[in-house]
Amino acid sequence: MNCESESLLEIKDLKIAFKTPEGIFHAVKGISLEVGKREIVGIVGESGCGKTVTALSIMHILPDNSVATGSIDFSGIDLLSLKENETRETRGRDISMIFQDSLSSLNPLMKVGRQIEENLMMHTSLDSRNRFLEVLDIMHKVGLPDPEQTYKKYPHELSGGMRQRIAIAIAIVCNPDLIIADEPTTALDVTVQAQILELLRKINRESNSSIIFISHNLGVVREICSIVYVMYAGHIVEKGPVNKLFTDPAHPYTMGLIKAIPKRDSKGKELFDIRGRVPSIADSIPGCPFEPRCDYAVERCKKEFPGFKKIANDHEARCFLAGDI
Ligand code: SF4
């Protein structure tokens, strides 16, 4: 969190495990993070690092076989201690989520305008006329053409970019304090991606909502976030202001993610890929989880996982060599 902003969300020592017939698997292993009011905070990492599971825990929509411990303080309320009926109040009104794949997150059998209106029915006392007008207004705000006609369409009748705008309209119609955008531009082409990023920036500016922006692409995160948390194998391994992460990355994993961002002149060239793979949640790792993929690993890294090392007041990383590479 930026030291000047007031805190909205504070996660402390969050651990999430899944009980399966094969045993208990730990997907998130004690992470802490903060989001300030009106801030856009990025969580970045490859698939399988625990980003989405963290988001689902904030929304209180983890699968039944999961156990979450630690605390998620949202404006003074510990979300983890709420009962299901209490979280239903919060979800959609105070905290909302935009999913990556709008085709599967939208109801294929319901007109898109009606899907936006549902949130208003659940969380406001507006009558049907005013709800309808509010839906047209929000459709206009997210840049959907001809709201009255678009209201009547089904998801499959819209382009990917328009569907994502509907998903964003659903998320913001009740003016939530926090929006979680989970890979919201991954399925879109670059032009539509740029438009959606601009729309999220506009929402942040005009409605004062804070945003948690989840992505595997540090390049996209750089476009929109002020603070970034880098996640790897269920841990946060680096955190800091986005510019510092780019100019002075301290963890070899962050360095790899930066190297993997496609450049303008990379057309026709082979793109950089961090060698190896993200460990499975079933793997037991005694030392630093990045050690098998790390070019800087030393013997000690096989046995010990370091705590955070401070690079600056607002920048730290979990690597023995942080600040020295
Ligand atoms: Fe690499 Fe060791 Fe740092 Fe882990 S602790 S990132 S293995 S140098």
Side-chain angles (χ1 to χ4, degrees):
M1 193 183 85
N2 184 319
C3 48
E4 282 158 28
S5 46
E6 217 182 308
S7 176
L8 175 71
L9 180 86
E10 192 174 358
I11 296 179
K12 278 193 190 150
D13 197 23
L14 177 68
K15 296 185 179 119
I16 303 168
F18 292 95
K19 289 181 187 164
T20 74
E22 287 76 37
I24 297 175
F25 298 117
H26 301 270
V28 174
K29 300 166 184 166
I31 66 163
S32 298
L33 67 85
E34 257 184 286
V35 180
K37 288 189 176 161
R38 296 173 292 281
E39 234 174 22
I40 307 184
V41 169
I43 304 180
V44 69
E46 293 160 285
S47 300
C49 285
K51 310 179 304 287
T52 297
V53 175
T54 301
L56 298 181
S57 71
I58 300 169
M59 291 294 288
H60 226 285
I61 50 174
L62 282 168
D64 290 343
N65 67 336
S66 64
V67 182
T69 59
S71 67
I72 304 178
D73 184 302
F74 175 73
S75 292
I77 300 165
D78 183 8
L79 296 179
L80 283 187
S81 66
L82 293 183
K83 298 196 175 68
E84 180 49 32
N85 60 334
E86 294 168 323
T87 58
R88 235 175 278 139
E89 295 274 300
T90 314
R91 209 163 41 226
R93 186 191 62 191
D94 303 325
I95 308 176
S96 61
M97 187 156 172
I98 304 162
F99 295 90
Q100 175 183 340
D101 182 3
S102 50
L103 196 56
S104 55
S105 67
L106 296 174
N107 183 340
L109 305 175
M110 194 188 274
K111 288 174 182 160
V112 291
R114 190 75 185 151
Q115 299 193 43
I116 303 171
E117 204 179 328
E118 270 207 326
N119 228 358
L120 290 170
M121 283 169 78
M122 224 180 300
H123 298 296
T124 71
S125 52
L126 292 175
D127 60 27
S128 68
R129 175 77 194 146
N130 281 311
R131 281 199 309 265
F132 179 66
L133 294 176
E134 190 72 28
V135 171
L136 297 189
D137 184 49
I138 207 81
M139 285 174 130
H140 177 70
K141 273 192 189 139
V142 298
L144 284 159
D146 197 352
E148 286 207 36
Q149 283 309 311
T150 310
Y151 183 103
K152 300 177 204 153
K153 304 240 187 236
Y154 290 92
H156 72 271
E157 297 179 283
L158 302 177
S159 67
M162 283 172 81
R163 277 198 302 270
Q164 201 54 306
R165 284 173 197 270
I166 294 289
I168 292 172
I170 294 171
I172 67 169
V173 71
C174 291
N175 203 14
D177 295 322
L178 178 66
I179 299 165
I180 304 172
D182 187 4
E183 304 267 11
T185 60
T186 301
L188 306 173
D189 68 50
V190 275
T191 314
V192 183
Q193 174 176 294
Q195 291 167 357
I196 296 293
L197 289 180
E198 183 45 42
L199 175 59
L200 290 172
R201 271 192 290 262
K202 183 170 164 243
I203 291 164
N204 168 254
R205 253 190 338 262
E206 293 177 1
S207 69
N208 289 330
S209 300
S210 303
I211 298 177
I212 296 179
F213 189 91
I214 295 174
S215 180
H216 65 280
N217 185 336
L218 203 43
V220 178
V221 166
R222 184 184 204 175
E223 300 274 315
I224 187 164
C225 302
S226 52
I227 306 287
V228 179
Y229 291 81
V230 180
M231 260 189 108
Y232 188 74
H235 300 277
I236 285 168
V237 295
E238 183 161 4
K239 55 186 172 185
V242 70
N243 289 337
K244 282 193 188 166
L245 250 69
F246 271 87
T247 54
D248 195 14
H251 196 285
Y253 182 54
T254 313
M255 294 173 194
L257 291 176
I258 293 173
K259 232 171 146 185
I261 299 170
K263 314 279 180 313
R264 257 183 237 283
D265 62 357
S266 37
K267 201 173 172 192
K269 295 182 191 162
E270 204 174 322
L271 295 175
F272 174 81
D273 209 6
I274 304 171
R275 66 182 163 83
R277 59 162 184 89
V278 176
S280 141
I281 54 171
D283 294 345
S284 105
I285 308 163
C288 169
F290 192 58
E291 184 273 329
R293 308 173 78 186
C294 181
D295 292 335
Y296 302 92
V298 290
E299 208 41 43
R300 185 181 182 196
C301 308
K302 288 196 172 103
K303 299 175 205 120
E304 286 173 61
F305 184 29
F308 277 105
K309 188 170 167 188
K310 251 191 182 7
I311 321 297
N313 270 346
D314 53 359
H315 182 195
E316 47 190 16
R318 290 190 76 170
C319 171
F320 290 120
L321 305 179
D324 299 330
I325 302 171

